[in-house]
Amino acid sequence: LIVTGVQTCALPIFLNAAGVHVLDRLHTWLGPITAVSGRMQQLGGLDGGADDTYSALMQTERGASISIQHCSAAQGDGVSVCKVIGTEGSVWLDQGKAYISTGGASAPIDVPPDLVPPPTPDFDADDPKHAFTGFELPLFIRLAERLRDEITGTPVTAGAPATPTFTDGLATQMVIDAIRDSSAGSGRVIELEGSTP
């Protein structure tokens, strides 16, 4: 798996702010992460020395190798690619669209209806506090709808994504901690027990 993300906004503590979502995606798609070697940097000159860049090599319980590079300090247009490469083909996300290739030409993948986020409500896009509202709010609405359904006992649609749990969040936090520990140890490999408590 290759994950590359370059964003032009300078987020402080980038691994915890944006990286958590990437790592959660990897845990969901590929299963528990068992080994991590990571590096963190500050490339954008933020006050206070907060990280804005991280990279990591990781191994999953099922033997997948993962390479990540994620930076919020790059100048120019943003790039966002997440690619899973297997023996039968590849599937990837590129600039918000999904694609698949199984040896022939690449083809886009239609988004299942239950994964299409609700429309974004009207808001003042010029207000700095709404810098991420356009793409974050619809997904939080979907998360709140799932929480509502779990509270009311409404059955989850067959084939819909599983409901995230505290254990999922803890597994992701353990990987974040391992990246930080590895970076502090000059990139040494940190072994995890399946990144589960």
Side-chain angles (χ1 to χ4, degrees):
L1 173 78
I2 301 170
V3 178
T4 301
V6 175
Q7 300 178 352
T8 55
C9 54
L11 292 174
I13 320 172
F14 191 54
L15 176 58
N16 285 77
V20 63
H21 302 295
V22 175
L23 296 171
D24 178 62
R25 178 191 308 165
L26 299 179
H27 176 81
T28 301
W29 286 359
L30 302 173
I33 294 168
T34 56
V36 175
S37 172
R39 295 293 248 174
M40 300 179 64
Q41 293 176 283
Q42 184 195 32
L43 301 179
L46 293 172
D47 291 338
D51 63 272
D52 55 30
T53 302
Y54 71 92
S55 59
L57 299 175
M58 299 185 287
Q59 192 80 25
T60 71
E61 190 173 72
R62 292 185 281 183
S65 296
I66 300 170
S67 173
I68 295 179
Q69 182 180 14
H70 206 178
C71 176
S72 69
Q75 301 298 316
D77 294 337
V79 175
S80 178
V81 177
C82 180
K83 193 166 193 174
V84 179
I85 304 165
T87 56
E88 303 292 324
S90 300
V91 61
W92 64 96
L93 302 174
D94 187 353
Q95 305 301 329
K97 295 183 180 178
Y99 300 89
I100 190 168
S101 177
T102 56
S106 301
I109 301 172
D110 291 331
V111 177
D114 61 325
L115 292 182
V116 175
T120 303
D122 290 332
F123 62 94
D124 181 4
D126 293 329
D127 187 335
K129 72 181 177 198
H130 287 301
F132 301 104
T133 301
F135 63 88
E136 286 185 342
L137 186 58
L139 303 177
F140 277 109
I141 291 171
R142 181 55 52 84
L143 187 62
E145 291 171 343
R146 176 61 67 85
L147 178 61
R148 174 204 62 204
D149 292 345
E150 292 284 354
I151 291 171
T152 61
T154 303
V156 175
T157 306
T163 302
T165 66
F166 179 83
T167 301
D168 295 326
L170 180 56
T172 300
Q173 185 61 52
M174 290 172 68
V175 175
I176 288 172
D177 292 345
I179 291 173
R180 291 190 180 284
D181 290 347
S182 176
S183 183
S186 300
R188 69 183 176 90
V189 175
I190 305 291
E191 301 284 346
L192 299 172
E193 294 184 7
S195 64
T196 55

